[in-house]
Amino acid sequence: MRTTYDNATVRLYHLDSASEGGAATTLCYAPLAEALAMAAAQPEEMQDGLFIATDNDVVAYLDLIGQ
């Protein structure tokens, strides 16, 4: 992810691949540090579908934290 500072505003969203069309649900627009804390608080079964988007990149939450 190219934008790496803690105060970068990001979009945390969940991509539900099980539903028809893969619906994306936004959980928050927040600073990166806050979005990461919110993602960590989600149930494990949901974390696989979490993504963080900046103005120039998108990364899967589990890839970002190294799992």
Side-chain angles (χ1 to χ4, degrees):
M1 194 158 71
R2 289 179 265 176
T3 304
T4 56
Y5 57 98
D6 286 344
N7 291 327
T9 299
V10 300
R11 173 186 176 211
L12 172 64
Y13 66 96
H14 181 259
L15 184 59
D16 183 5
S17 61
S19 69
E20 207 171 299
T25 304
T26 299
L27 301 178
C28 72
Y29 287 96
L32 178 59
E34 186 178 320
L36 288 172
M38 180 178 272
Q42 301 305 310
E44 279 188 40
E45 59 273 3
M46 185 180 181
Q47 289 181 359
D48 186 45
L50 293 178
F51 292 86
I52 295 177
T54 68
D55 60 346
N56 58 17
D57 216 346
V58 175
V59 66
Y61 168 68
L62 292 180
D63 288 345
L64 185 61
I65 64 167
Q67 287 189 342

